[in-house]
């Protein structure tokens, strides 16, 4: 009888998530709409829908930008020319900057969202999309496990069938 082979090493997979915490700038510029034309087109054709989608992608209530739109008439008028700094847009920009450790100031956020709100929202959406691409490093390592003790099992040998005994034997059909 051949002895069984016992595996004594198992490959283990460990996953390490790398999070960069140092402050840096936005991954794209304010007017870099060509970096992601899909984001830019959605913002151009239906800005209120785009704002809601971006807020949802960021983890906020999808209806949050609608408050700003309802307070200012249409989403397009709350920026330059209305004399009002769009509060929801500015809060979203500040929150994205703080969450992702982007350097800047609330004054810069205020000026960006007042003068070019659609470009500011596009920049936020591109940043969210970029940050969702998480870097994962997978390391495969081999660990040596303690050698298990092999306990031989007794060999199985069935008892011979004896007709007339209480054993259950083969049943033949006629």
């Amino acid at each position: 009888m051949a002895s069984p082979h016992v595996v004594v090493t198992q490959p283990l997979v460990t996953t390490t998530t790398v999070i960069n915490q140092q402050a840096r700038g936005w991954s794209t510029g304010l007017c870099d709409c060509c970096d992601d034309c899909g984001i830019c087109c959605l913002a151009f054709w239906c800005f209120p829908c785009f704002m809601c989608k971006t807020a949802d992608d960021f983890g906020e209530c999808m209806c949050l930008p609608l408050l700003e739109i309802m307070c200012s008439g249409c989403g397009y008028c709350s920026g330059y020319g209305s004399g009002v700094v769009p509060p929801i847009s500015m809060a979203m920009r500040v929150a994205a900057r703080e969450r992702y450790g982007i350097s800047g100031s609330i004054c810069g956020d205020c000026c960006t969202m007042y003068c070019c709100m659609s470009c500011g929202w596009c920049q936020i959406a591109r940043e969210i999309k970029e940050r969702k691409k998480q870097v994962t490093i997978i390391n495969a390592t081999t660990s040596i496990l303690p050698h298990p003790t092999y306990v031989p099992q007794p060999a199985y040998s069935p008892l011979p069938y004896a007709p007339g005994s209480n054993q259950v034997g083969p049943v033949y059909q006629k």
Side-chain angles (χ1 to χ4, degrees):
M1 180 165 143
S3 64
H5 296 286
V6 178
V7 177
V8 293
T9 60
Q10 295 284 334
L12 299 175
V13 176
T14 58
T15 304
T16 306
T17 303
V18 178
I19 301 173
N20 188 1
Q21 292 293 337
Q22 73 185 59
R24 62 182 184 110
W26 293 89
S27 63
T28 60
L30 187 62
C31 298
D32 288 343
C33 284
C34 292
D35 284 358
D36 192 328
C37 291
I39 286 175
C40 193
C41 286
L42 180 59
F44 179 76
W45 291 109
C46 188
F47 191 60
C49 296
F50 171 72
M51 292 168 69
C52 292
K53 180 190 177 310
T54 303
D56 186 48
D57 290 346
F58 190 63
E60 294 294 331
C61 176
M62 183 174 77
C63 299
L64 185 64
L66 295 177
L67 295 172
E68 187 169 285
I69 294 167
M70 291 189 321
C71 292
S72 65
C74 65
Y76 300 98
C77 300
S78 62
Y80 182 74
S82 67
V84 177
V85 174
I88 306 298
S89 297
M90 197 171 105
M92 279 291 296
R93 185 171 174 88
V94 170
R97 194 171 47 76
E98 289 297 316
R99 179 181 293 177
Y100 300 131
I102 298 170
S103 58
S105 67
I106 196 164
C107 181
D109 296 332
C110 182
C111 291
T112 298
M113 296 316 263
Y114 179 77
C115 295
C116 193
M117 186 168 70
S118 59
C119 292
W121 272 95
C122 286
Q123 187 179 34
I124 293 169
R126 288 190 305 270
E127 194 69 32
I128 292 169
K129 187 176 179 180
E130 182 66 29
R131 299 296 176 118
K132 283 192 176 182
K133 297 178 188 173
Q134 196 173 47
V135 177
T136 303
I137 301 170
I138 299 176
N139 296 325
T141 59
T142 303
S143 298
I144 298 175
L145 301 174
H147 192 313
T149 306
Y150 176 71
V151 178
Q153 298 294 322
Y156 175 73
S157 57
L159 298 173
Y161 176 69
S165 67
N166 289 341
Q167 288 180 327
V168 176
V171 177
Y172 301 107
Q173 295 181 349
K174 294 182 183 180

